[in-house]
Amino acid sequence: MSRLDVFINRMVSQRACLDHAIAETRGMSGPVFELGLGNGRTFDHLRANIQERDIFVFERKVESNPASTPDPEQTLLGDVMETLPAALERFGATATLVHADLGGHNLEKNDIFARKVSPLIEPILAVGGLMVSSDRMYFDDLVKQPLPKEAIPGRCFIYRREA
Ligand SMILES: C[S@@+](CC[C@H](N)C(=O)[O-])C[C@H]1O[C@@H](n2cnc3c(N)ncnc32)[C@H](O)[C@@H]1O
């Protein structure tokens, strides 16, 4: 499989998992959290498809395309290891959808970071809320969900707080 194939599979899976999670959490009122703004493509997809919920973006350095840059009041600037605990204090366990795309090209580093950040993501999710990630996460209480049929296994992961 070429790097182009891997990239396309990741993008197709990301969109399929986000569309699935948006539909599954429609009707819930808590905020949506985008962890890792990057170019802003997935943020733009979330805001294009979610009208009824606030979206907050966690990013250490905003360098997104100007066409998909969140407003300053939507942006929680800094390292997620600090901004996630602050968000828990501010919002409580109210997030209806958390999307994390924090990794880079080094899969080993991504996995180490996923292990560190999982315990900070877990408590912010509301009951019934979904967490979509590009990396496998390490949760105690969130339950791994089946992927939508368009997603490629291993390229995207979905977890749910059931109770
Ligand atoms: C792969 S990009 C996200 C791409 C985005 N999903 C898109 O569609 O354009 C990852 C982003 O996560 C951010 N990031 C990585 N680790 C972070 C951390 N510990 N705290 C805050 N932001 C972080 C990076 O700065 C980068 O902008």
Side-chain angles (χ1 to χ4, degrees), residues 97-109:
L97 199 173
V98 178
H99 173 232
D101 185 18
L102 292 160
H105 297 298
N106 186 324
L107 299 182
E108 200 179 323
K109 271 193 188 167

Side-chain angles (χ1 to χ4, degrees), residues 10 36-42 59-60 78-80 101-103 113:
R10 187 171 143 242
L37 175 65
N39 182 283
R41 290 189 191 97
T42 49
E59 173 58 56
R60 63 179 159 210
D79 191 318
V80 292
D101 185 18
L102 292 160
F113 189 69

Side-chain angles (χ1 to χ4, degrees), residues 12-21 24 132 145-153 156-158:
V12 167
S13 301
Q14 209 167 42
R15 185 179 57 187
C17 289
L18 286 177
D19 287 347
H20 174 77
E24 285 286 306
V132 173
Q145 302 294 298
L147 297 178
K149 66 176 183 336
E150 302 83 4
I152 290 97
C156 182
F157 300 82
I158 305 178

